[in-house]
């Protein structure tokens, strides 16, 4: 396949992804059409405060879907294969990523040697019994799709908190999974568990490259929180919460949820299931976390655009993965990205075909 054919195929795939995303949620047609005119998916008309900031302050969905995949170029594949990327990070910074216990491939579980595992005889159930809790996730892809929390308690496996009473049920469920990773189950820090004690709560932090200074910077950050609606994972698309993080202080602000079924934007100061306060909570070690991510970004200068998934544990930050094609809705529900001149300069310098808007309000 020639380069031109491959590029055309990739462009068509991204257009189809844009269409499929638009079809996945309900928004009134007048709102949807208004958003389309400005290059956004329909939900932007509900989620973004365009009346205050104007449409031009927000990075359009057409840019995110069609142009941002080009920022990292072919090196984007470096982050798309999660096992390779995590092992590369681990070789430079031991203990910074979750432990890998095994792989899912060809309808079966393949344990990795070491960690007390017998690669010739251990089953997934045996590994789960030994560890108590595991995470099963796709080796490629993003958006929190396909992430499963496994737990062994009361003599049975629990799949995303659903008890599998039949001893063969676990094997049947994983038999259809290909290209997956079986990972250490990390526990969120006490600050997050005080808000919601059961879920997997991670942060998404955007690092960008400042061309004139030749250094990375942190452009935006959110804390993601799981809800009953999203299950045990903090999947925004399935009803998880996106919580603004103050870059200076690490303090949590308002939490936002988008109900794809009704097209409703919901804003919370307290967790909708537990009633515990979100707004005003401090992320411990926030300054050190930013320093760490800037250091990691400096070690990846060929990847100027990264969305880091981080779990802040009580023992320190653990890097779950990095995304070279991160979504921006999680960030822009709180504040438009293009009101920040450093972010504007980044897209101008690194995003092919991007032209900075000239009619921004309140910059």
């Amino acid at each position: 396949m020639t380069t031109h054919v491959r590029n055309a195929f990739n462009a068509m795939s991204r257009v189809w992804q844009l269409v499929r995303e638009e079809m996945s949620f309900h928004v009134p047609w007048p709102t949807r059409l208004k958003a389309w005119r400005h290059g956004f998916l329909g939900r932007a008309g509900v989620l973004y405060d365009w009346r205050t900031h104007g449409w031009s302050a927000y990075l359009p969905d057409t840019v995110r879907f069609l142009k941002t995949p080009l920022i990292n170029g072919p090196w984007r594949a470096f982050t798309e294969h999660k096992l390779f990327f995590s092992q590369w990070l681990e070789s430079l910074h031991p203990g910074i990523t979750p432990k890998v216990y095994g792989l899912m491939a060809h309808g079966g579980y393949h344990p990795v040697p070491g960690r007390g595992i017998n690669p010739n005889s251990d089953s997934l159930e045996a590994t789960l019994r030994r560890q108590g809790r595991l995470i099963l996730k796709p080796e490629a892809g993003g958006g929190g799709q396909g992430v499963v929390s496994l737990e062994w308690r009361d003599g049975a496996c629990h799949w995303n908190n659903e008890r599998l009473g039949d001893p063969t049920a676990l094997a049947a469920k994983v038999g259809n999974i290909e290209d997956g990773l079986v990972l250490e189950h990390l526990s969120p820090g006490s600050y997050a568990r005080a808000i919601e004690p059961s879920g997997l709560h991670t942060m998404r932090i955007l690092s960008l490259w400042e061309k004139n200074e030749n250094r990375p910077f942190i452009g935006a950050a959110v804390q993601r929180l799981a809800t009953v609606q999203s299950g045990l994972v903090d999947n925004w698309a399935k009803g998880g919460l996106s919580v603004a993080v103050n870059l200076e202080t690490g303090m949590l602000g308002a939490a936002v949820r988008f109900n794809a079924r009704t097209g409703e934007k919901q804003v919370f100061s307290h967790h909708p299931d537990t009633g515990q306060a979100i707004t005003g909570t401090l992320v411990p070690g926030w300054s050190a976390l930013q320093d760490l991510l800037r250091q990691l970004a400096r070690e990846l200068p060929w990847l100027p655009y990264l969305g880091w998934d981080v779990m802040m544990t009580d023992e320190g930050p653990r890097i779950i993965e990095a995304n070279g094609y991160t979504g921006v809705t999680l960030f822009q529900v709180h504040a438009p990205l293009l009101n920040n001149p450093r972010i504007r300069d980044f897209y101008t310098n690194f995003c092919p075909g991007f032209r900075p808007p000239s009619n921004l309000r309140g910059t």
Side-chain angles (χ1 to χ4, degrees), residues 196-265:
E196 200 290 324
S198 304
L200 299 172
H201 312 301
T202 64
M203 307 186 78
R204 172 65 60 86
I205 303 173
L206 184 64
S207 73
L208 307 169
W209 200 267
E210 197 164 21
K211 189 172 185 179
N212 293 336
E213 301 294 333
N214 195 30
R215 65 185 181 186
F217 68 98
I218 304 301
V222 294
Q223 172 73 58
R224 297 181 296 196
L225 296 173
T227 66
V228 169
Q229 186 175 327
S230 68
L232 291 177
V233 296
D234 53 9
N235 191 325
W236 159 260
K238 292 186 177 180
L241 304 178
S242 171
V243 186
V245 179
N246 185 298
L247 294 186
E248 297 297 323
T249 65
M251 181 176 289
L252 302 187
V256 177
R257 176 166 64 186
F258 177 62
N259 188 319
R261 184 177 58 82
T262 64
E264 179 187 10
K265 173 184 178 180

Side-chain angles (χ1 to χ4, degrees), residues 56-202:
S56 58
Y58 294 91
L59 186 78
D61 289 308
T62 50
V63 173
R64 187 259 157 169
F65 277 89
L66 304 181
K67 297 185 183 299
T68 56
L70 306 176
I71 292 176
N72 291 334
W75 295 106
R76 179 182 153 201
F78 194 78
T79 61
E80 289 178 340
H81 294 284
K82 297 179 173 114
L83 177 61
F84 176 79
F85 185 76
S86 67
Q87 295 306 293
W88 183 87
L89 282 183
E90 193 68 20
S91 70
L92 297 176
H93 303 274
I96 201 172
T97 64
K99 296 174 184 175
V100 180
Y101 290 110
L103 310 179
M104 300 300 305
H106 309 296
Y109 170 66
H110 305 275
V112 297
R115 312 191 198 285
I117 293 173
N118 183 341
N120 297 315
S121 62
D122 264 15
S123 65
L124 178 58
E125 181 177 315
T127 304
L128 177 60
R129 283 172 177 262
R130 183 183 301 111
Q131 301 302 326
R133 304 177 80 185
L134 295 170
I135 291 293
L136 177 61
K137 66 186 294 186
E139 203 279 331
Q145 300 295 327
V147 177
V148 176
S149 174
L150 297 177
E151 183 175 4
W152 188 267
R153 69 173 188 269
D154 302 327
C157 171
H158 289 73
W159 178 285
N160 280 349
N161 221 26
E162 174 193 352
R163 190 177 191 276
L164 304 182
D166 185 342
T168 65
L170 177 60
K173 275 185 172 287
V174 301
N176 296 323
I177 296 175
E178 294 188 6
D179 305 325
L181 300 179
V182 178
L183 305 173
E184 172 187 13
H185 192 297
L186 300 174
S187 180
S190 55
Y191 80 100
R193 296 199 312 275
I195 298 172
E196 200 290 324
S198 304
L200 299 172
H201 312 301
T202 64

Side-chain angles (χ1 to χ4, degrees), residues 27-36 41-46 50 55:
V27 170
W29 274 104
T31 302
R32 196 183 294 266
L33 293 173
K34 186 189 293 286
W36 285 359
L41 295 174
R43 65 186 175 197
V46 175
W50 53 268
W55 288 102

